[in-house]
Amino acid sequence: MSSNATVTRLCASSVDHTQRAPVHLMPCEIQSNGSAQVSQFFTATTKDHKSEKTVSFRGRGLKGQELSCPQGYTGLVLKEVHKPSSDQEDRTVRVSSVFDKLTYWNLETPPNSDDTVVMAMDWPELAEGVRVLAFILLH
Amino acid sequence: MDLKPFEENNSVSCRLTSQIPDVCKTEDCCLGIDEAGRGPVLGPMVYGICFCPVSKKEDLKDLKVADSKTLTEAERENLFEKLDEAISYIGWALHILSPNTISTSMLQRTKYNLNALSHDTAISLVQYALDSGVQLKEVYVDTVGPAEKYEDKLSQRFPGIQVTVRPKADSLFPVVSAASICAKVARDRVVKGWNFPEDLGEVDVNYGSGYPNDPKTKAWLLKYLDPVFGYPQFVRFSWSTAQSLLDTKAVAVHWDDDEEDGEKAAQRQNNRSMLSYFTASAGSSDHNPSHQTHRFFSERRLKSLDTL
Amino acid sequence: MAAKKKRSPNVDNDSWVTIAADSVVDAQKNDSDPTFVRLRNPSTGAASLYVLGSGDLQLYEVKAFEEDFHSWFIGQTVQRDGRLVFITPMDPLFLIVPCLSKSAKEGTFQPLDQVVMDEEFSACSRLLKCKSALASLHHIAEEKEVETLKFYRFSQDKTIDWLKKKVERTVTVLKKREICVGEGVKSTTYVRVKPAADHQEEDYLRYAHGLISEYISQDLSTALLKHLGLPQLMSPKETEPPAKKRKISEQPVEAVEDYTKFNGADFSRKPLKKMTAAQKTLAKVDKTGMKSMSSFFSPKVKAEKK
């Protein structure tokens, strides 16, 4: 854990020249960080039936659906390019890709509104409710 | 045999059928069932049925059909042509179980083993023949498992039909030999012309017999192993050959049901929301042991972070 | 079949999937970059991660959706860490309240920059740059102007009023989003008896109160509940499940480890700074047999727990 005094700078200008990338939330832990042939193996074999998507990964059947970022929100993938050598140093993260929707996948179960990640998307709007100052609301 | 319906989407299973001869709808018929491609780690498993009037059994013998395994590929192709031409009294139907179906079924949360899958496929084909108006009286089945139990199962499922389940039925009953030829021809053609849905460019088709002990097959499996995705859907992930190669050469992947036995998996399906509710606050990283996150957050698996 | 590989800890994570309010990276307004900082969480007292927007004008909180067995595919890469991090705007007053209320014990009006600070979390004083916070301080404090200088004194009554409005606003959003606030399990297999309308209204209020309590101290939470006209629950079974009940304890929690650094756990913790003479005297008194004030408000379950 880094010291309470250190900060992590989010290099915001990096957003401008960032590519959009499709993002998939997988229902398994893949013990790897780095490149993967996602379009060749995954995207190429994904089937679309109305709003439900199907694919398989490592021989297991997945069902998925797209989920949009809440209004006023953008998906940002942050990447730490250079890890500081000590936990007393400030850190910097850059935006490595942006997205406005993600696809989440369930293992075998059809996606539905009770899925936790769908419910988690309630949070930004509720956070807005908790934040907004009372006097603005009293029309 | 038009394989197009399967080739358009070889991720899922597919049924291919001949026309139903009119005579099969009016006369008592016999039907044989056999499978092809049970053992290989590559490609589909094909179930075949062949049927004809009981009165035409001798005609079938005259075609000199025999156990497909004793025939060369050319002989099988040749015999299939003859069967297909005898449309006036012989009908057939095939069910192609795609390797992806085999993988996902066998690796399902609630495991669906190959025997159950085979039996269900056989039953669905017999039912297809009945639904098409074939006057079935006798059914002959080749089996690799215990014959008696399977025979009882089929007899109960199809009352009024005399069911005979025998090991090596494909060499004992010509109608089973005919079914085995249909299945084997389809399996060979599908494997030969496999259309990889993955974007792999030119794929080396020198994958040998597809049996796990074939060195060519093994070499192919090594060549096409992807550290993240494992294999193309052409490979049966549920085969121990494929599994053990992945366990040693690919990155580890962990699923929430890794440690579960079948009973637990069934429980999970019934009580999913109950379980998730009770485990909601587990794993919270709150520093304060007496602080319980509000259920709005715990139900959504949301928690505060203290470091990025 | 070869033995399954064991899960190893994910130690070299350097990438995070986030969903952030557009204002966080709104390039037009940026004169400096937003920064992730650690500040004292007003509810737990422990360190939590926040974001201060460009020019420190805006405060955001950072929460992660985290469920076991998830990973990401991002473009042509795989990311083992399957968390989804939300960066949402937050009212900076929530973080200023504990600073002000702490100093309120002295009862005097004080300049902000002497109060809005935390020795442990140096970024705390940057909250004073949040324009919206400065403009709305009157919600939580009395203001006095001496010449050009402004002085503030925490007002619990004002704060409770302000919090009540927050609760009401939260109820509106909860209803709009059709968020299930009823007690019990959200499950298709358990059909809940539909409560009377007023009962449902109380469910909403309690739920919203619980949410707002994530941003305030236990003492304020208790006072707010009273102000909302909601009785303390006699049995936790009636609404929130027992696990969700907060422990209300006046006795200092026995320290198992040295928590002096992160002693945010309990809001009955000793004031970080010097005690007043009266407090010192009180501290020396043998309190055995005395009833603590809060025990009058605390649920009976405490007694049953033995």
Side-chain angles (χ1 to χ4, degrees):
Chain A
M1 191 192 290
S2 52
S3 146
N4 286 335
T6 61
V7 301
T8 303
R9 192 168 64 94
L10 199 175
C11 188
S13 58
S14 53
V15 173
D16 300 337
H17 29 87
T18 301
Q19 286 188 329
R20 283 183 183 267
V23 291
H24 299 270
L25 181 58
M26 297 294 288
C28 55
E29 184 177 0
I30 304 164
Q31 219 169 290
S32 173
N33 289 300
S35 66
Q37 302 198 63
V38 180
S39 67
Q40 294 90 329
F41 278 88
F42 198 76
T43 320
T45 56
T46 298
K47 300 277 189 304
D48 254 301
H49 302 285
K50 290 170 191 166
S51 64
E52 191 181 293
K53 295 162 178 289
T54 53
V55 78
S56 51
F57 177 67
R58 293 279 185 110
R60 306 213 60 179
L62 312 184
K63 291 191 170 133
Q65 87 177 356
E66 276 183 357
L67 206 52
S68 294
C69 290
Q71 223 186 352
Y73 283 76
T74 307
L76 307 172
V77 181
L78 307 181
K79 194 158 179 74
E80 187 165 22
V81 182
H82 166 74
K83 263 222 147 133
S85 45
S86 92
D87 62 1
Q88 301 301 311
E89 273 175 69
D90 285 351
R91 299 158 62 190
T92 305
V93 292
R94 301 179 67 84
V95 180
S96 61
S97 57
V98 294
F99 59 93
D100 47 30
K101 58 180 196 287
L102 59 90
T103 308
Y104 80 93
W105 297 93
N106 288 341
L107 175 58
E108 292 160 13
T109 339
N112 73 87
S113 58
D114 278 348
D115 290 328
T116 46
V117 67
V118 179
M119 284 167 66
M121 288 290 179
D122 289 333
W123 171 231
E125 192 178 341
L126 206 68
E128 209 70 35
V130 173
R131 176 187 73 104
V132 167
L133 299 172
F135 65 81
I136 301 173
L137 318 160
L138 308 173
H139 330 282
Chain B
M1 190 190 298
D2 181 11
L3 292 169
K4 233 180 241 142
F6 177 71
E7 283 167 346
E8 273 165 14
N9 180 3
N10 62 24
S11 296
V12 296
S13 296
C14 181
R15 181 188 291 157
L16 302 175
T17 56
S18 73
Q19 276 188 322
I20 308 284
D22 285 338
V23 67
C24 293
K25 295 179 188 169
T26 52
E27 280 190 38
D28 287 354
C29 288
C30 58
L31 178 149
I33 310 178
D34 199 8
E35 67 191 8
R38 172 178 274 261
V41 62
L42 302 176
M45 179 163 149
V46 180
Y47 253 84
I49 58 168
C50 222
F51 47 89
C52 68
V54 176
S55 60
K56 296 278 189 183
K57 270 183 182 173
E58 286 309 309
D59 300 52
L60 199 60
K61 240 180 214 167
D62 291 345
L63 287 175
K64 295 205 164 53
V65 292
D67 173 14
S68 69
K69 285 176 216 91
T70 65
L71 304 167
T72 65
E73 191 175 340
E75 285 170 327
R76 283 195 300 266
E77 286 283 346
N78 190 23
L79 277 169
F80 177 73
E81 289 309 314
K82 280 193 190 164
L83 287 168
D84 210 26
E85 278 161 20
I87 192 66
S88 62
Y89 68 97
I90 297 175
W92 55 262
L94 298 167
H95 192 93
I96 306 178
L97 286 167
S98 73
N100 186 51
T101 303
I102 296 170
S103 303
T104 54
S105 301
M106 290 176 72
L107 297 175
Q108 215 166 274
R109 257 189 214 291
T110 318
K111 301 281 173 276
Y112 187 21
N113 71 41
L114 199 62
N115 265 342
L117 192 60
S118 302
H119 291 185
D120 291 349
T121 307
I123 287 167
S124 79
L125 281 169
V126 174
Q127 190 61 51
Y128 159 78
L130 287 171
D131 292 347
S132 307
V134 178
Q135 299 299 304
L136 281 187
K137 286 292 172 290
E138 303 166 14
V139 167
Y140 300 90
V141 189
D142 193 297
T143 186
V144 289
E148 235 170 85
K149 247 177 124 183
Y150 191 18
E151 196 170 279
D152 288 348
K153 186 176 171 181
L154 288 173
S155 301
Q156 274 187 3
R157 181 68 178 69
F158 299 107
I161 297 177
Q162 194 203 330
V163 180
T164 309
V165 179
R166 286 276 194 295
K168 301 202 170 67
D170 53 355
S171 54
L172 299 173
F173 309 102
V175 75
V176 179
S177 307
S180 96
I181 287 165
C182 294
K184 183 74 174 142
V185 164
R187 149 97 192 163
D188 285 349
R189 289 189 190 177
V190 167
V191 169
K192 227 182 216 174
W194 186 261
N195 173 30
F196 286 84
E198 295 81 8
D199 186 7
L200 299 175
E202 196 76 25
V203 180
D204 176 5
V205 292
N206 197 12
Y207 24 66
S209 63
Y211 278 91
N213 54 3
D214 182 337
K216 272 188 186 168
T217 301
K218 193 117 192 210
W220 191 90
L221 283 174
L222 279 169
K223 183 173 173 184
Y224 282 93
L225 187 145
D226 179 273
V228 174
F229 295 92
Y231 289 112
Q233 291 181 359
F234 185 48
V235 176
R236 300 178 190 174
F237 283 78
S238 45
W239 256 236
S240 62
T241 320
Q243 288 280 334
S244 52
L245 276 174
L246 290 180
D247 284 342
T248 51
K249 309 247 185 243
V251 304
V253 170
H254 308 281
W255 302 88
D256 65 2
D257 61 352
D258 277 353
E259 312 294 330
E260 271 177 13
D261 52 29
E263 204 176 316
K264 267 191 196 157
Q267 230 171 37
R268 169 194 288 276
Q269 281 198 327
N270 292 333
N271 293 336
R272 194 163 170 247
S273 38
M274 276 296 276
L275 283 173
S276 60
Y277 179 75
F278 285 118
T279 54
S281 55
S284 156
S285 75
D286 280 333
H287 290 267
N288 184 343
S290 69
H291 176 83
Q292 289 293 333
T293 311
H294 188 262
R295 68 187 154 107
F296 175 84
F297 297 113
S298 55
E299 282 172 5
R300 285 165 183 76
R301 310 291 187 273
L302 286 165
K303 57 192 197 189
S304 295
L305 291 182
D306 60 10
T307 189
L308 195 60
Chain C
M1 202 185 289
K4 272 261 173 198
K5 279 183 200 166
K6 285 263 157 61
R7 284 169 86 187
S8 67
N10 183 18
V11 285
D12 56 350
N13 186 52
D14 63 353
S15 184
W16 299 266
V17 178
T18 71
I19 286 186
D22 289 340
S23 57
V24 175
V25 287
D26 193 338
Q28 307 303 307
K29 288 187 243 157
N30 281 347
D31 43 0
S32 65
D33 282 326
T35 48
F36 288 90
V37 296
R38 281 145 70 89
L39 295 167
R40 192 185 297 282
N41 184 307
S43 167
T44 64
S48 283
L49 195 65
Y50 298 88
V51 169
L52 281 165
S54 59
D56 294 354
L57 292 174
Q58 179 69 267
L59 175 75
Y60 303 85
E61 63 180 309
V62 183
K63 281 195 190 300
F65 165 76
E66 182 173 5
E67 211 171 19
D68 234 357
F69 303 107
H70 280 96
S71 289
W72 289 97
F73 286 144
I74 305 154
Q76 288 289 87
T77 63
V78 57
Q79 177 187 305
R80 180 177 174 184
D81 180 300
R83 287 179 299 176
L84 176 58
V85 178
F86 288 93
I87 304 175
T88 54
M90 175 174 163
D91 191 336
L93 283 190
F94 282 125
L95 296 186
I96 293 177
V97 163
C99 302
L100 275 174
S101 73
K102 202 166 68 189
S103 75
K105 285 171 188 136
E106 284 132 66
T108 54
F109 282 84
Q110 295 192 40
L112 270 189
D113 54 1
Q114 280 183 29
V115 174
V116 182
M117 54 179 284
D118 192 318
E119 283 165 4
E120 250 181 80
F121 301 95
S122 54
C124 182
S125 53
R126 286 169 65 180
L127 290 171
L128 291 173
K129 292 191 200 156
C130 292
K131 267 194 193 152
S132 62
L134 295 181
S136 52
L137 275 171
H138 61 277
H139 287 303
I140 60 165
E142 292 162 59
E143 222 173 80
K144 229 183 213 177
E145 241 179 297
V146 179
E147 289 167 17
T148 56
L149 295 172
K150 280 186 175 172
F151 297 86
Y152 294 87
R153 186 169 69 187
F154 178 69
S155 161
Q156 169 131 341
D157 290 348
K158 280 184 155 201
T159 303
I160 293 291
D161 273 338
W162 167 72
L163 289 172
K164 189 183 174 198
K165 284 171 190 150
K166 291 258 187 213
V167 169
E168 285 161 358
R169 170 64 188 169
T170 305
V171 166
T172 312
V173 184
L174 287 171
K175 286 179 176 169
K176 191 181 150 214
R177 295 285 307 193
E178 295 176 334
I179 285 164
C180 170
V181 298
E183 68 270 24
V185 181
K186 187 181 181 186
S187 163
T188 45
T189 47
Y190 290 81
V191 180
R192 203 160 76 91
V193 186
K194 208 176 176 182
D198 55 339
H199 193 169
Q200 207 176 12
E201 202 57 37
E202 189 184 318
D203 282 352
Y204 274 111
L205 269 181
R206 274 196 194 280
Y207 197 94
H209 169 264
L211 264 169
I212 296 293
S213 295
E214 292 282 315
Y215 297 88
I216 55 178
S217 69
Q218 180 59 56
D219 290 350
L220 273 178
S221 170
T222 309
L224 177 60
L225 194 66
K226 207 177 156 202
H227 190 66
L228 290 168
L230 296 173
Q232 287 260 1
L233 297 169
M234 286 303 123
S235 159
K237 276 175 232 145
E238 280 170 26
T239 53
E240 294 187 70
K244 312 285 178 197
K245 281 305 277 189
R246 292 210 192 149
K247 197 161 148 195
I248 300 169
S249 161
E250 199 65 356
Q251 293 105 345
V253 175
E254 286 265 334
V256 192
E257 290 167 58
D258 182 12
Y259 276 128
T260 41
K261 265 233 145 161
F262 290 119
N263 192 6
D266 195 307
F267 268 80
S268 64
R269 72 180 190 275
K270 287 174 209 129
L272 287 171
K273 288 184 181 169
K274 54 195 179 258
M275 286 195 273
T276 62
Q279 282 175 315
K280 276 181 193 157
T281 325
L282 191 63
K284 282 180 205 153
V285 173
D286 178 8
K287 294 197 198 79
T288 46
M290 281 176 146
K291 235 182 178 173
S292 70
M293 198 57 187
S294 76
S295 68
F296 290 101
F297 299 106
S298 56
K300 276 180 184 159
V301 66
K302 223 182 99 193
E304 289 164 4
K305 233 160 55 178
K306 293 156 197 168

